[in-house]
Amino acid sequence: MTTHDIHEVFNQAEALTDVNLFDVDHAMQDALKFNAPELEVAPLRKLGQVTGSAEMQAHARLANIHTPELHRLDPRGRRIDEVEFHPSYHVLMNAATRAGLHGTPWAADLAPTLAASAVALPPEGALAARGGPSPLGAAPHMQRAAGFMLFTQLEASVLCPISMTYAVTPALRENAKVYADWGPKLTSRAYDPRLVSYKDKPGVTMGMGMTERQGGSDVRANTSQATPDGSDRWGERYRLNGHKWFFSAPMCDAFLVLAQAAGGLTCFFLPRVLPDGTRNGLRIQRLKDKLGNKANASSEVEFDNALAWRVGDEDRGVAQILEMGTRTRLDCSLGTAALMRQSVCVAVHHTRQRKAFGKFLIEQPLMKNVLADMALESEAATALALRLARSYERHADEHERLIARVITPVSKYWICKRGSLLAQEAMECQGGNGYIEEDGFGVMARVYREMPVNSIWEGAGNIMAIDLLRALRKGDVTGALQHELGAARGVHPALDRAIQTLPDRIEALANEMEARRLAEDVALTVQAALLAQTAPASTVSAFCDSRLNGQWGHAFGTLPASADCDALIERALPA
């Protein structure tokens, strides 16, 4: 019998660190080749190295341990409403903006938009000197989507202001005068956390304030009031009084908010600091104590005669928020798919090192099934999320516009529903260590807490399922879906049956009671069709046999015996 010194540590898995997250992600690489073959991957490979590094992982841990703190007053009693962050938070934000994950993809559209408004951009050299707009190259939105997924695997919660800045940038064009001043700085790769005038900053971020305590998703119930206050160089100016129940990222430089004007619910641009350098009447009441998303500050605020400028016409607030919401819903899908990918990597890495009952865990047949099933789910989520990103890249194309109308709610609904279950299973693969918060073990606990936010944010499951129904009741949308699925016919009998019966399912749906089931069926069929065009035959067979052909249970680890589990695991995290 072998004896060991009680202080000797053995059979403990080391943390997954200093790995290039892009290089080991074959599912992402194949999805990008399918959706954006023109994409230059060198920047993603560079970002993959950064986001997988031990140094940046340490910053992610610190930003979550040392959570934001609200300071309403300065030491002498003056109202300041400032949020203080740990330095690691700013390191992460700087890395995300340098990678162009916020407004940068819109830089290519900036010059013609401003030219149409008779506003000239500064010289290119001057922009570069201050971190100004630089496009991401070919397929900028696809590159940004893949980069967003890589960064999520490092730290998800800091991406809230990054995501909102991406979503609001095109909406701000409806006030050309504001956009002329703020557009170049929203697309800049510079990060400046100071609470000063936009004129003194090389780059800015933006947030959104939509929901109120009495309404939630029903924004038409909002009671915040907007009173006209003349006009100036930014157009029609208003005074806002009221509140917001969820006001994410209150440290952003400006926000798009909803308030009731004389003509109805309207969208407004509200800066934290006014052009003259004084602070606006935005009062932070408290920061939310959330389940996860710890490094990000979410708040409740009040508007105290705050100055805001109208964006678009009065009574168009709902339409504008829906436009912004679709892009944040894209990020919900991308973010959850990325967290699923991270969970699978952690689980496979752990089970390759940990022994039990005389074998490494990964060699145990039932563990193989669990890992392979999770890897399959993760790849399907990646395929669907990046297909959705392509539809936003090519939104001028009619087919892509219609596909976005279908798979935006489908992907947000299904991917986000599956994420929490997969994270729990990945945590279980680590046993008790997965449940521990201590440094070196705590990443899965953090991922598990982070998972539900994307399912809730920007429309929970019922909202998404009903949105799908609205889309599918339009004949052109259903036709576009059938055309999309047609490319995968003949690959697997179960997939052919799903494609053939889906139109009848849609036609027969009489009410909302079955909307969630339909969303699930559409999601699985689209995922299978995508895998049929991007993944190895072993992956396609396992997915169709399990998800579409009924050879599957209600938990991970219930793949049929015919599944090539070794191939699925090896594709998920190569040796």
Side-chain angles (χ1 to χ4, degrees):
M1 178 178 178
T2 303
T3 59
H4 296 276
D5 184 278
I6 61 170
H7 299 293
E8 179 186 0
V9 177
F10 62 99
N11 198 29
Q12 283 279 11
E14 297 299 322
L16 179 60
T17 191
D18 285 329
V19 59
N20 191 308
L21 299 181
F22 180 78
D23 282 348
V24 299
D25 195 341
H26 292 305
M28 174 184 284
Q29 293 173 32
D30 288 347
L32 290 175
K33 289 175 186 176
F34 174 71
N35 291 291
E38 73 278 19
L39 184 67
E40 173 56 56
V41 301
L44 294 173
R45 182 162 285 114
K46 182 179 179 181
L47 182 60
Q49 191 67 45
V50 171
T51 52
S53 68
E55 178 185 1
M56 292 302 287
Q57 288 174 356
H59 285 302
R61 180 182 66 85
L62 291 170
N64 278 273
I65 291 174
H66 304 285
T67 55
E69 296 182 14
L70 172 62
H71 302 290
R72 293 190 189 87
L73 307 173
D74 73 4
R76 291 162 184 82
R78 290 184 288 260
R79 190 79 190 238
I80 56 173
D81 296 284
E82 293 183 5
V83 182
E84 182 182 10
F85 295 87
H86 188 271
S88 287
Y89 171 88
H90 298 298
V91 172
L92 294 165
M93 283 291 293
N94 183 62
T97 52
R98 285 291 174 189
L101 306 183
H102 56 315
T104 303
W106 303 108
D109 303 329
L110 186 63
T113 300
L114 297 186
S117 304
V119 178
L121 277 171
E124 185 175 349
L127 282 170
R130 66 187 195 215
S134 53
L136 292 175
H141 296 277
M142 284 298 299
Q143 189 177 106
R144 182 261 174 193
F148 190 90
M149 292 183 70
L150 293 173
F151 205 98
T152 298
Q153 295 173 62
L154 167 64
E155 212 303 295
S157 60
V158 301
L159 291 176
C160 178
I162 297 294
S163 177
M164 289 191 293
T165 302
Y166 174 68
V168 304
T169 299
L172 200 57
R173 294 173 187 162
E174 294 206 36
N175 185 321
K177 296 176 181 178
V178 172
Y179 190 66
D181 285 346
W182 285 72
K185 301 191 179 194
L186 287 166
T187 58
S188 165
R189 292 178 186 251
Y191 172 65
D192 186 343
R194 295 176 300 153
L195 190 56
V196 297
S197 170
Y198 78 98
K199 293 182 287 188
D200 300 322
K201 303 183 70 166
V204 295
T205 57
M206 282 189 65
M208 294 185 282
M210 307 300 173
T211 60
E212 297 181 2
R213 52 181 168 257
Q214 74 282 351
S217 296
D218 183 9
V219 294
R220 291 190 182 278
N222 283 8
T223 61
S224 293
Q225 296 295 311
T227 305
D229 189 52
S231 62
D232 57 24
R233 64 189 300 269
W234 283 350
E236 299 301 317
R237 188 178 63 230
Y238 291 71
R239 292 281 181 178
L240 267 56
N241 288 279
H243 78 282
K244 294 298 170 189
W245 183 240
F246 279 103
F247 200 78
S248 288
M251 61 290 179
C252 286
D253 296 285
F255 307 87
L256 289 185
V257 302
L258 294 179
Q260 299 285 357
L265 194 63
T266 304
C267 183
F268 294 93
F269 170 81
L270 188 151
R272 284 289 310 275
V273 179
L274 297 171
D276 64 4
T278 59
R279 298 193 179 185
N280 208 351
L282 178 66
R283 310 302 184 204
I284 304 175
Q285 300 304 101
R286 62 176 172 176
L287 299 184
K288 298 285 192 180
D289 185 6
K290 298 168 291 184
L291 169 68
N293 203 246
K294 292 292 188 178
N296 176 51
S298 300
S299 64
E300 298 169 28
V301 302
E302 289 184 357
F303 303 140
D304 182 9
N305 230 25
L307 276 174
W309 286 260
R310 197 179 74 219
V311 178
D313 296 331
E314 289 189 359
D315 200 33
R316 286 207 66 247
V318 172
Q320 288 175 285
I321 190 178
L322 288 176
E323 181 181 351
M324 292 181 285
T326 57
R327 291 194 178 272
T328 50
R329 288 169 181 174
L330 164 64
D331 282 359
C332 289
S333 300
L334 293 168
T336 303
L339 291 173
M340 293 166 77
R341 167 67 186 164
Q342 181 182 11
S343 301
V344 170
C345 288
V346 169
V348 172
H349 184 73
H350 175 88
T351 56
R352 278 180 168 172
Q353 301 176 75
R354 181 84 164 178
K355 282 186 175 181
F357 310 111
K359 293 181 180 179
F360 285 105
L361 291 175
I362 201 168
E363 298 171 346
Q364 305 283 359
L366 199 50
M367 180 61 79
K368 276 188 181 183
N369 197 317
V370 171
L371 295 171
D373 207 356
M374 291 195 301
L376 198 58
E377 191 77 28
S378 172
E379 177 155 1
T382 294
L384 181 57
L386 288 175
R387 174 62 187 92
L388 178 58
R390 179 179 119 196
S391 70
Y392 285 100
E393 181 77 69
R394 306 177 184 178
H395 211 58
D397 181 276
E398 178 66 8
H399 174 74
E400 296 294 339
R401 185 184 65 80
L402 294 173
I403 286 299
R405 188 70 184 88
V406 176
I407 63 175
T408 296
V410 162
S411 62
K412 184 183 183 305
Y413 173 82
W414 184 241
I415 293 173
C416 294
K417 289 295 181 193
R418 299 296 293 165
S420 294
L421 296 174
L422 188 144
Q424 185 272 331
E425 196 71 60
M427 189 184 300
E428 190 172 320
C429 290
Q430 292 182 283
N433 287 349
Y435 198 69
I436 301 300
E437 294 278 1
E438 191 172 351
D439 185 23
F441 290 130
V443 66
M444 273 314 305
R446 189 169 82 225
V447 169
Y448 183 68
R449 290 197 310 271
E450 189 70 23
M451 279 294 191
V453 69
N454 283 333
S455 188
I456 297 169
W457 189 40
E458 295 301 336
N462 287 349
I463 299 292
M464 294 300 98
I466 293 170
D467 196 29
L468 173 65
L469 286 189
R470 294 194 190 102
L472 291 177
R473 283 169 179 162
K474 299 178 180 178
D476 53 350
V477 174
T478 303
L481 178 60
Q482 284 300 110
H483 178 75
E484 178 80 10
L485 295 172
R489 287 184 182 274
V491 174
H492 192 284
L495 177 55
D496 286 345
R497 287 194 298 273
I499 294 172
Q500 184 176 350
T501 59
L502 197 56
D504 291 337
R505 289 282 324 283
I506 295 169
E507 183 69 26
L509 193 67
N511 56 56
E512 294 176 2
M513 291 290 288
E514 299 176 49
R516 283 188 172 219
R517 181 59 184 270
L518 179 63
E520 176 180 332
D521 291 345
V522 173
L524 292 174
T525 305
V526 174
Q527 285 180 324
L530 290 170
L531 293 178
Q533 300 170 81
T534 63
S538 57
T539 301
V540 179
S541 177
F543 190 89
C544 292
D545 284 343
S546 59
R547 273 66 172 173
L548 299 182
N549 213 24
Q551 299 178 47
W552 196 38
H554 295 288
F556 287 106
T558 56
L559 291 175
S562 60
D564 189 344
C565 292
D566 288 329
L568 292 168
I569 295 169
E570 186 62 24
R571 179 168 168 80
L573 188 62

